[in-house]
Structure formats: C-alpha cells, structure tokens
Amino acid sequence: MSTQKQYVLAVPNFSEGRDPAVIDQIVSAIRGMEGLKLVGVEPEADFNRTVVTMIGEPEVIKAALVALGQASVAHIDMRRQKGTHPRIGAQDTLPIFPLHNITLEECTALSKEIGREFHQRTGVPVYYCGECASNEERRAFAYVRKGQYEGLGQLLRETRDDPARRAEYEARRPDLSTDGLLSETAGATISSAEQTGLTAYNIFLDTEDVEVAQAVARTIRGPSGGFSSIRAVGTKFPEHKGTVVSMNMFDCVNLPIPRLFQFVKTEAARCGVNVTGSALVGPLKLEAILSAFQYSLALEGFDRSQILETHLMDL
C-alpha cells in the first residue's frame, strides 16, 4: 500500500428527491465532516431520489457513508415512497470508486467494511454489487433491484420458508440481514465498488409525446441492441418542457459524450423531433472531459499532459 494519501469517490443515492427539508436533514449528517469534500447534492423530483457526490480518504468515506445511510433510514419510510427510478431502499446505494492512489481491490475491501458497519448500526439488509458481488448476476444493480422494494420484499417473504422455492430465495436473499427479509420501513441497501462510476446524462426532446422519448431510449440502451455501457429510459420531467431521454453512462471514455449526443439527435430526427439541449447530473471525471474533447476535435497524438492543470495533481 502506498504511503501517499489515497482518495475515494463515493456517489450514494437515497430515496427522497422532493422534500427539501428531509433532503437537508439527511445531508446534514455529513456536512462539515472533517476531511470530506462534499462535491454535489442533486435532488431529482421525478425520480424521487437524491444523488450525493463526495471525495475523501478511505476511512473518512466509510464514516460518511455510514452516517448518511443512518440518516436516510431515520427520515425515509419506504412504505410511502414512490418514484420513477428503480429502488429497493431508503439509502438505496453506497457505491465507491478508486479516485487517486488507491486500487480497485482496496476499494472492494473497503466497500465490504462499509456494508458490514452500516448493517451493524442500522439492522438494514445489505446487498453487495459490482466487484463485491458473490456471483456474476449480483454484479448488476438491475438484477438486485428486480421487483424493487415492493416486489423483492414480497418475493423474499413468500420464498424464505418454502422448501420448494429454496433456490429462488437463495438467489435473491440479502448478503447481510437479521432475518433474511427486507426492512419494512427501510428496505435494503446496495454496497458496491467498481472501477468506473456511472455518469447520469439527460437529453431533452421538443415533444410532449413520451412514447417518442421511449423509442429513442430503446435504440441506445445496451439490452435492446444499443451501446453496452448505456442504460436509458424515456420519460417526462414535470419541471421541464418536452420529454427526456435519461441515461446512465458506465463508460464515458470509450463512448465519448458528444458521440452519444449526436446519435440521439439522429434517432430523434428519425422520429420527427429535435433535441433542445442536455444536462449532466453531478460531477464528471477529467478522463470523460478529455475523451469528449479529443472526439469533438478529432485530435491526433493528444496527451493529457498537455493540459497544464493536470500537473497540479502531482505537486
């Protein structure tokens, strides 16, 4: 392990994006925490979730994620929570990523510690995803979230004590739990470590027809024949004119953002609509910006050392 300082990126989300007072109470649990850089807090009303971005040394990130999770569990009741984004719990995810001078393997070990401590302090069940997953299927959030809070909770209740459905139960049970079921009020939480975090990206269309946005989303998302690193939905944000193709990008380096933007413009034009703009939700890694820059200008022989500010990182 290096003697230099290590930094971890964490991008947790909790299942409240509409009530500013509740959001503030939850985030207040980590505001002012020594050694923690709170980069962004992004509420999304339609999804009814808030994405938090933070940077810190490993132990600081662990303490912050556990504290944030405890606050979410205290202030969110999943029996009343509704939103368009898939979710299984009050503190839905606790994902971490290596940022500087730390390996993916170290982050994987840290994520398991975070999951254990969060479970010990709250009693809320935990699923391990990404590099922490116990099998290949559980690497994907979509597999763990299948059925969401309501459906997953019902499935576990129906299968736990049924010998005929034992395999089904074992496939979906939490990795950490007190009784093998979801918490009635807090659901469950996903703890994960991965090399590259997702980037949330929205592209807006000048149509109120949600079916058009859904059709465009189908052309770009991996499972329906689009880009393997893209998950996308077509929806309507009540606070924004038109409709939106809302995406999670899992690789902004090999799939530069401008390329995706142009692809969506082409697919939208085939449906007779225009793109009016786009928006990033939360911060973006430098590598993604450089990839977009190189792609847009068709640069040859470009090296990141040509960006003067990159040298400040080594001072």
Side-chain angles (χ1 to χ4, degrees):
M1 182 179 294
S2 173
T3 57
Q4 293 181 312
K5 284 190 174 183
Q6 299 175 307
Y7 291 98
V8 175
L9 167 68
V11 192
N13 79 69
F14 56 82
S15 297
E16 174 57 64
R18 298 171 180 167
D19 189 330
V22 173
I23 294 168
D24 184 66
Q25 286 179 308
I26 293 171
V27 178
S28 290
I30 61 173
R31 280 201 179 98
M33 185 175 287
E34 185 176 355
L36 183 74
K37 174 64 175 179
L38 186 57
V39 178
V41 178
E42 305 284 344
E44 298 172 294
D46 187 60
F47 286 163
N48 200 15
R49 71 164 183 176
T50 294
V51 179
V52 180
T53 304
M54 62 183 83
I55 295 169
E57 294 184 63
E59 289 302 312
V60 172
I61 287 294
K62 179 169 73 171
L65 289 181
V66 172
L68 185 76
Q70 287 178 287
S72 296
V73 168
H75 290 96
I76 299 172
D77 187 338
M78 290 303 295
R79 294 171 297 183
R80 296 192 291 269
Q81 196 272 356
K82 301 294 179 186
T84 60
H85 197 279
R87 80 286 184 265
I88 59 171
Q91 182 61 55
D92 195 53
T93 65
L94 295 170
I96 62 171
F97 311 91
L99 185 62
H100 181 68
N101 200 39
I102 189 169
T103 66
L104 178 59
E105 291 73 21
E106 289 172 304
C107 282
T108 300
L110 178 65
S111 177
K112 290 182 177 179
E113 291 178 18
I114 291 167
R116 283 195 298 270
E117 186 164 336
F118 171 77
H119 174 64
Q120 289 168 359
R121 294 201 180 193
T122 65
V124 174
V126 169
Y127 288 88
Y128 287 124
C129 282
E131 293 297 318
C132 304
S134 56
N135 58 50
E136 192 63 28
E137 285 183 313
R138 290 198 178 201
R139 292 177 68 92
F141 282 24
Y143 176 80
V144 173
R145 282 180 173 149
K146 186 177 179 181
Q148 300 196 52
Y149 162 78
E150 295 84 359
L152 178 58
Q154 181 178 347
L155 183 145
L156 293 176
R157 290 191 299 271
E158 291 176 350
T159 59
R160 183 186 62 172
D161 300 317
D162 185 348
R165 301 180 68 182
R166 189 65 188 176
E168 187 178 0
Y169 171 74
E170 289 295 329
R172 301 299 306 281
R173 68 173 176 80
D175 290 291
L176 304 176
S177 67
T178 56
D179 59 6
L181 301 175
L182 298 192
S183 163
E184 185 177 358
T185 57
T189 295
I190 295 172
S191 186
S192 67
E194 295 181 88
Q195 184 65 48
T196 304
L198 67 84
T199 297
Y201 183 48
N202 298 323
I203 298 180
F204 301 104
L205 309 180
D206 67 348
T207 176
E208 296 296 329
D209 188 348
V210 175
E211 290 187 0
V212 172
Q214 292 171 339
V216 174
R218 282 194 296 272
T219 68
I220 60 175
R221 62 179 175 233
S224 56
F227 298 100
S228 62
S229 60
I230 297 294
R231 300 295 180 269
V233 297
T235 187
K236 168 69 181 173
F237 290 171
E239 71 277 9
H240 198 287
K241 184 179 179 180
T243 53
V244 59
V245 179
S246 183
M247 295 161 283
N248 285 337
M249 299 183 68
F250 291 90
D251 187 351
C252 295
V253 175
N254 292 306
L255 176 56
I257 294 173
R259 181 185 175 199
L260 182 64
F261 181 76
Q262 291 299 328
F263 188 90
V264 170
K265 283 184 69 175
T266 299
E267 292 300 313
R270 290 178 64 242
C271 298
V273 303
N274 295 318
V275 167
T276 60
S278 67
L280 289 164
V281 181
L284 192 66
K285 281 192 172 182
L286 177 61
E287 285 77 8
I289 297 172
L290 296 181
S291 175
F293 180 60
Q294 289 177 263
Y295 178 85
S296 298
L297 299 182
L299 291 177
E300 297 182 9
F302 177 78
D303 188 271
R304 62 177 288 155
S305 64
Q306 292 175 257
I307 306 296
L308 286 174
E309 282 78 4
T310 62
H311 296 278
L312 294 174
M313 301 176 187
D314 300 320
L315 292 179

